[in-house]
Amino acid sequence: MSVTDLDISHIRLGERPLIVCDVDDVVLQFIDPFQLFLQSLGHAFLPRSFRLHGNIVSTADGAEIEGNQVSRLIEEFFETQELWQTPVDHVVETLGRLSQAADILFLTAMPPRFQDQRRRLLDSAGLAFPLLATEQAKGPIVHALHASRSYPVVFIDDMAHNLDSVREHVADCLLIHLMPDSPVHRFAPPAPDDITRAIDWTHAAELIEAHFRSGTFRRTTPAA
C-alpha cells in the first residue's frame, strides 16, 4: 500500500498550524500498561534492548516467549487497549489548549484494524482529534497532508526513525522527540542532535508555541 492508498479524506485542515502527533508512549501510556497486561497472563518483560520480541519471558520458568506468540500478544493488547492504556500526564489539557491555535492530528503506528478501539479510547479520554492508524512510513503521510500549505507544522514522536522520515519529506517542520524515561527507552536509538528532546508535554508546548511565534517557516515544497 502506498501513501496514496491511505484514506485521508476525513481529515479537514483549517487555515492555521498543524500538529501531527504519535500516540503510543507519547499521548497514551504504552510500555507500562503493556507490562501489566503481560503480568496478567503470567509473562514478564525484561528491558534488555529496545524490542518487544526476544524480551518477554514466562514468570513461571523464565523461558523466552517465541516470536509468533509475542506478535499475538501485541495484537491482543491492541484489541483490548481500552482496558489498559491511559493518557500521558498533562497531554489532555495541553492539547486542548494548543487546539485553540492549531489543528491536531494523531498518526499512530499500529495495524489499521485496531483503529476503532483506539478511536474509542482517545474519545473517552477527551482526545477527540482526527486519527490515522497505519504501519506505513510517517514522512510521506505528513507530506501528503501538509505539502501545499503555508502554515507551520509540528511533528512529535518517540521514535528517531519516524522523526527522520518526516524530516526527509517535510521542509521546515518542527521535530520534537518526546518519550518516557523508562528502562526500555534507555535502549532507544537517539534522535539526531538537531532534533529537540522534550522532557514532557509542558516542555513540548513551550517549544511549539515558540515555533508558532517565531515565524521561521515557509511554504513547504513537494519532495522530489
Side-chain angles (χ1 to χ4, degrees), residues 37 41 71-81 114:
F37 165 77
L41 299 174
S71 296
R72 288 194 296 271
L73 287 169
I74 296 169
E75 293 194 350
E76 184 178 343
F77 178 77
F78 281 140
E79 181 72 36
T80 61
Q81 61 188 277
F114 301 116

Side-chain angles (χ1 to χ4, degrees), residues 5 9 51 54 77 81 85 87 103 105 125 133 146 160 167 184 187 193 205 218:
D5 298 319
S9 61
R51 301 180 69 248
F77 178 77
Q81 61 188 277
Q85 292 185 269
D103 287 332
L105 169 69
H146 183 72
R167 174 156 56 182
V184 65
F187 289 99
D193 291 341
R218 58 179 171 78

Side-chain angles (χ1 to χ4, degrees), residues 167-180:
R167 174 156 56 182
E168 289 175 5
H169 290 85
V170 184
D172 299 317
C173 180
L174 173 63
L175 303 168
I176 298 178
H177 190 206
L178 177 61
M179 68 178 183

Side-chain angles (χ1 to χ4, degrees), residues 50 87 104 135 148 150 167 179 181 191 203:
F50 194 58
I104 294 172
E135 296 178 290
S148 63
S150 59
R167 174 156 56 182
M179 68 178 183
D181 181 14
H203 185 203

Side-chain angles (χ1 to χ4, degrees), residues 167-214:
R167 174 156 56 182
E168 289 175 5
H169 290 85
V170 184
D172 299 317
C173 180
L174 173 63
L175 303 168
I176 298 178
H177 190 206
L178 177 61
M179 68 178 183
D181 181 14
S182 74
V184 65
H185 282 86
R186 293 168 194 166
F187 289 99
D193 291 341
D194 60 340
I195 291 179
T196 303
R197 171 86 160 92
I199 59 174
D200 56 22
W201 268 103
T202 299
H203 185 203
E206 292 172 355
L207 296 169
I208 292 167
E209 289 164 344
H211 179 62
F212 290 171
R213 290 193 301 267
S214 71

